Protein backbone atom coordinates (compact mmCIF):
# COMPACT_ATOMS: atom_id res chain seq x y z
CA UNK A 1 0.00 0.00 0.00
CA UNK A 2 1.54 3.36 -0.99
CA UNK A 3 1.81 6.16 1.52
CA UNK A 4 -1.10 8.58 1.87
CA UNK A 5 -0.25 11.76 3.72
CA UNK A 6 -2.37 14.64 4.95
CA UNK A 7 -0.57 17.65 6.38
CA UNK A 8 -2.40 20.52 8.04
CA UNK A 9 -0.92 23.97 7.48
CA UNK A 10 -2.54 26.13 10.13
CA UNK A 11 -0.70 29.29 9.07
CA UNK A 12 -1.25 32.03 11.70
CA UNK A 13 -4.27 30.31 13.27
CA UNK A 14 -4.72 28.76 16.73
CA UNK A 15 -3.17 29.75 20.02
CA UNK A 16 -1.65 27.10 22.28
CA UNK A 17 -5.03 26.71 24.02
CA UNK A 18 -6.86 26.41 20.67
CA UNK A 19 -4.32 23.78 19.60
CA UNK A 20 -4.89 21.68 22.72
CA UNK A 21 -8.67 21.87 22.21
CA UNK A 22 -8.34 20.90 18.54
CA UNK A 23 -6.20 17.86 19.37
CA UNK A 24 -8.58 16.71 22.12
CA UNK A 25 -11.36 16.57 19.57
CA UNK A 26 -9.31 15.41 16.57
CA UNK A 27 -7.15 12.56 17.87
CA UNK A 28 -9.96 10.13 18.76
CA UNK A 29 -11.50 10.68 15.31
CA UNK A 30 -8.40 9.57 13.42
CA UNK A 31 -7.15 6.83 15.74
CA UNK A 32 -8.76 3.98 13.77
CA UNK A 33 -7.80 5.09 10.24
CA UNK A 34 -5.74 2.60 8.20
CA UNK A 35 -2.06 2.45 9.13
CA UNK A 36 -0.77 3.62 5.71
CA UNK A 37 -2.35 7.03 6.35
CA UNK A 38 0.12 9.57 7.76
CA UNK A 39 -1.13 12.76 9.41
CA UNK A 40 0.95 15.84 10.19
CA UNK A 41 -0.21 18.98 12.00
CA UNK A 42 1.84 22.15 11.49
CA UNK A 43 0.71 24.77 14.03
CA UNK A 44 2.31 28.19 14.55
CA UNK A 45 5.65 28.00 16.40
CA UNK A 46 4.24 29.10 19.77
CA UNK A 47 1.64 26.32 19.68
CA UNK A 48 4.23 23.60 18.99
CA UNK A 49 5.07 23.07 22.71
CA UNK A 50 1.40 22.54 23.57
CA UNK A 51 0.89 20.10 20.67
CA UNK A 52 3.97 18.01 21.43
CA UNK A 53 2.83 16.23 24.64
CA UNK A 54 -0.65 15.72 23.21
CA UNK A 55 0.76 13.96 20.14
CA UNK A 56 3.18 11.69 21.96
CA UNK A 57 2.18 8.03 21.46
CA UNK A 58 -0.35 8.95 18.77
CA UNK A 59 -0.18 8.43 15.01
CA UNK A 60 -0.14 12.19 14.32
CA UNK A 61 3.22 13.86 13.69
CA UNK A 62 4.18 17.42 14.46
CA UNK A 63 5.25 19.89 11.77
CA UNK A 64 6.52 23.47 11.58
CA UNK A 65 5.74 26.02 8.89
CA UNK A 66 9.30 27.13 8.19
CA UNK A 67 12.77 27.23 9.81
CA UNK A 68 16.16 28.82 9.25
CA UNK A 69 18.94 26.98 7.43
CA UNK A 70 21.60 27.88 10.01
CA UNK A 71 21.67 26.01 13.30
CA UNK A 72 22.20 29.16 15.38
CA UNK A 73 23.41 32.72 15.02
CA UNK A 74 22.43 36.37 14.66
CA UNK A 75 19.11 35.86 12.89
CA UNK A 76 16.58 37.87 14.88
CA UNK A 77 13.14 36.31 14.97
CA UNK A 78 14.17 33.03 13.36
CA UNK A 79 13.82 29.43 14.57
CA UNK A 80 16.38 26.68 13.95
CA UNK A 81 16.05 22.96 13.29
CA UNK A 82 17.50 21.93 16.69
CA UNK A 83 14.94 24.18 18.42
CA UNK A 84 12.16 22.44 16.50
CA UNK A 85 13.52 18.99 17.17
CA UNK A 86 13.70 19.71 20.89
CA UNK A 87 9.89 20.02 20.82
CA UNK A 88 9.23 16.90 18.80
CA UNK A 89 8.92 18.46 15.35
CA UNK A 90 9.49 15.81 12.68
CA UNK A 91 8.35 17.69 9.54
CA UNK A 92 8.77 21.22 8.23
CA UNK A 93 6.97 22.99 5.38
CA UNK A 94 9.49 24.84 3.21
CA UNK A 95 8.89 27.17 0.27
CA UNK A 96 5.20 27.79 0.92
CA UNK A 97 4.04 30.47 -1.52
CA UNK A 98 3.08 32.78 1.36
CA UNK A 99 6.63 32.51 2.73
CA UNK A 100 8.05 33.07 -0.76
CA UNK A 101 5.81 36.14 -1.22
CA UNK A 102 6.01 37.73 2.24
CA UNK A 103 9.14 36.40 3.95
CA UNK A 104 11.73 36.25 1.20
CA UNK A 105 11.92 32.46 0.93
CA UNK A 106 13.62 31.95 -2.42
CA UNK A 107 14.66 28.92 -4.45
CA UNK A 108 18.15 29.30 -2.96
CA UNK A 109 17.07 29.61 0.69
CA UNK A 110 14.59 26.76 0.24
CA UNK A 111 17.48 24.63 -1.06
CA UNK A 112 19.60 25.51 2.00
CA UNK A 113 16.70 24.77 4.35
CA UNK A 114 15.97 21.41 2.71
CA UNK A 115 19.60 20.35 3.25
CA UNK A 116 19.62 21.45 6.87
CA UNK A 117 16.29 19.78 7.60
CA UNK A 118 17.55 16.48 6.19
CA UNK A 119 20.85 16.75 8.05
CA UNK A 120 18.93 17.40 11.27
CA UNK A 121 16.54 14.50 10.79
CA UNK A 122 13.47 16.60 9.95
CA UNK A 123 11.41 15.69 6.89
CA UNK A 124 11.01 18.66 4.53
CA UNK A 125 7.64 19.21 2.85
CA UNK A 126 8.70 21.31 -0.13
CA UNK A 127 5.96 23.44 -1.67
CA UNK A 128 6.00 24.56 -5.31
CA UNK A 129 3.34 26.24 -7.41
CA UNK A 130 2.52 28.75 -10.11
CA UNK A 131 0.58 32.02 -10.14
CA UNK A 132 -2.54 32.46 -12.24
CA UNK A 133 -0.52 34.63 -14.66
CA UNK A 134 2.08 31.88 -15.11
CA UNK A 135 -0.71 29.35 -15.66
CA UNK A 136 -2.34 31.57 -18.28
CA UNK A 137 1.02 32.03 -19.97
CA UNK A 138 1.31 28.23 -20.25
CA UNK A 139 4.48 27.99 -18.18
CA UNK A 140 3.14 26.08 -15.16
CA UNK A 141 5.18 22.94 -15.68
CA UNK A 142 8.38 24.79 -16.54
CA UNK A 143 7.98 26.93 -13.40
CA UNK A 144 7.20 24.18 -10.89
CA UNK A 145 9.80 21.82 -12.33
CA UNK A 146 12.34 24.66 -11.99
CA UNK A 147 11.35 25.23 -8.34
CA UNK A 148 11.56 21.49 -7.65
CA UNK A 149 14.97 21.08 -9.26
CA UNK A 150 16.29 24.12 -7.39
CA UNK A 151 15.03 22.89 -4.00
CA UNK A 152 16.41 19.38 -4.47
CA UNK A 153 19.63 20.32 -6.26
CA UNK A 154 22.42 17.77 -5.71
CA UNK A 155 20.55 15.71 -3.12
CA UNK A 156 21.52 12.05 -3.07
CA UNK A 157 18.95 9.47 -4.11
CA UNK A 158 18.73 8.46 -0.46
CA UNK A 159 17.90 12.01 0.60
CA UNK A 160 15.36 12.42 -2.23
CA UNK A 161 13.58 9.44 -0.73
CA UNK A 162 13.19 11.36 2.56
CA UNK A 163 11.51 14.42 1.02
CA UNK A 164 7.80 15.13 0.64
CA UNK A 165 6.75 17.47 -2.18
CA UNK A 166 3.60 19.57 -2.34
CA UNK A 167 2.15 21.04 -5.53
CA UNK A 168 0.13 24.09 -4.58
CA UNK A 169 -1.16 26.26 -7.41
CA UNK A 170 -1.07 29.72 -5.83
CA UNK A 171 -4.34 30.76 -7.48
CA UNK A 172 -6.08 27.85 -5.72
CA UNK A 173 -4.83 28.55 -2.20
CA UNK A 174 -7.55 29.83 0.09
CA UNK A 175 -9.73 30.89 -2.86
CA UNK A 176 -12.23 28.03 -3.04
CA UNK A 177 -11.14 27.74 -6.67
CA UNK A 178 -9.47 24.32 -6.58
CA UNK A 179 -7.43 23.01 -9.47
CA UNK A 180 -9.15 20.16 -11.37
CA UNK A 181 -7.65 16.82 -10.29
CA UNK A 182 -6.69 15.97 -13.89
CA UNK A 183 -4.86 19.28 -14.29
CA UNK A 184 -3.07 18.76 -10.96
CA UNK A 185 -2.16 15.22 -12.02
CA UNK A 186 -0.52 16.48 -15.24
CA UNK A 187 1.63 18.94 -13.31
CA UNK A 188 2.48 16.44 -10.60
CA UNK A 189 3.50 13.81 -13.14
CA UNK A 190 5.89 16.41 -14.59
CA UNK A 191 7.28 17.07 -11.11
CA UNK A 192 7.78 13.37 -10.51
CA UNK A 193 9.42 12.95 -13.89
CA UNK A 194 11.86 15.82 -13.48
CA UNK A 195 14.37 14.04 -11.22
CA UNK A 196 15.52 10.48 -11.02
CA UNK A 197 14.81 9.23 -7.54
CA UNK A 198 11.38 10.82 -7.17
CA UNK A 199 9.49 7.63 -8.06
CA UNK A 200 8.58 6.87 -4.46
CA UNK A 201 8.52 10.47 -3.22
CA UNK A 202 5.08 11.41 -1.91
CA UNK A 203 3.61 14.41 -3.73
CA UNK A 204 0.71 16.20 -2.05
CA UNK A 205 -1.85 18.49 -3.67
CA UNK A 206 -2.70 21.74 -1.91
CA UNK A 207 -5.22 24.43 -2.79
CA UNK A 208 -8.82 24.57 -1.51
CA UNK A 209 -8.89 20.84 -0.81
CA UNK A 210 -11.95 19.78 1.18
CA UNK A 211 -13.95 16.69 2.14
CA UNK A 212 -16.02 16.97 -1.04
CA UNK A 213 -13.19 17.17 -3.57
CA UNK A 214 -10.42 15.12 -1.90
CA UNK A 215 -11.41 11.74 -3.38
CA UNK A 216 -10.91 13.09 -6.90
CA UNK A 217 -7.31 14.00 -6.06
CA UNK A 218 -6.21 10.83 -4.34
CA UNK A 219 -7.65 8.79 -7.24
CA UNK A 220 -4.89 10.26 -9.46
CA UNK A 221 -1.74 8.15 -9.82
CA UNK A 222 0.73 10.88 -8.80
CA UNK A 223 -1.24 12.43 -5.94
CA UNK A 224 -0.39 10.91 -2.57
CA UNK A 225 -2.45 13.12 -0.27
CA UNK A 226 -2.95 16.75 0.61
CA UNK A 227 -1.43 19.84 2.19
CA UNK A 228 -4.54 21.42 3.66
CA UNK A 229 -5.01 24.98 4.93
CA UNK A 230 -8.54 26.23 5.67
CA UNK A 231 -10.16 22.80 5.77
CA UNK A 232 -7.72 21.60 8.44
CA UNK A 233 -8.79 24.10 11.08
CA UNK A 234 -11.89 22.30 12.28
CA UNK A 235 -11.19 18.93 13.97
CA UNK A 236 -14.30 17.20 12.69
CA UNK A 237 -13.97 18.67 9.20
CA UNK A 238 -10.31 17.68 8.87
CA UNK A 239 -10.95 14.17 10.20
CA UNK A 240 -13.83 13.82 7.70
CA UNK A 241 -11.61 15.03 4.87
CA UNK A 242 -9.00 12.40 5.67
CA UNK A 243 -11.63 9.68 6.11
CA UNK A 244 -13.25 10.60 2.75
CA UNK A 245 -9.93 9.96 1.06
CA UNK A 246 -8.85 6.84 2.83
CA UNK A 247 -11.82 4.65 3.79
C1 LIG B 1 -2.07 26.11 1.95
O1 LIG B 1 -1.93 27.28 2.25
O2 LIG B 1 -1.10 25.32 2.04
C2 LIG B 1 -3.38 25.66 1.48
C3 LIG B 1 -3.44 24.60 0.75
O3 LIG B 1 -4.45 26.42 1.86
P1 LIG B 1 -6.01 26.13 1.53
O4 LIG B 1 -6.25 24.65 1.76
O5 LIG B 1 -6.77 26.98 2.47
O6 LIG B 1 -6.22 26.48 0.09
Amino acid sequence: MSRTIFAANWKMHKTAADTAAFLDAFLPKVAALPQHVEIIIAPPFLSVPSAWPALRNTRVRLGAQTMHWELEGAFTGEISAPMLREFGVSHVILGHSERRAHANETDETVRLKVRTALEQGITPIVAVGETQDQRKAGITQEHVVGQTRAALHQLSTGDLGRVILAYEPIWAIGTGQNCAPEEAQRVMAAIRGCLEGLNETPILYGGSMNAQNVAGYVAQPDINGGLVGGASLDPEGFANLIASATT
Side-chain angles (χ1 to χ4, degrees), residues 45-92:
F45 286 136
L46 280 174
S47 299
V48 162
S50 104
W52 182 38
L55 294 185
R56 222 180 265 144
N57 301 321
T58 76
R59 64 180 306 151
V60 178
R61 310 296 299 277
L62 186 53
Q65 300 174 15
T66 188
M67 56 167 234
H68 202 273
W69 64 89
E70 294 289 351
L71 301 186
E72 63 180 2
F75 300 102
T76 302
E78 294 286 349
I79 300 282
S80 73
M83 293 168 187
L84 295 176
R85 271 214 338 243
E86 194 175 18
F87 283 93
V89 169
S90 56
H91 292 72
V92 62

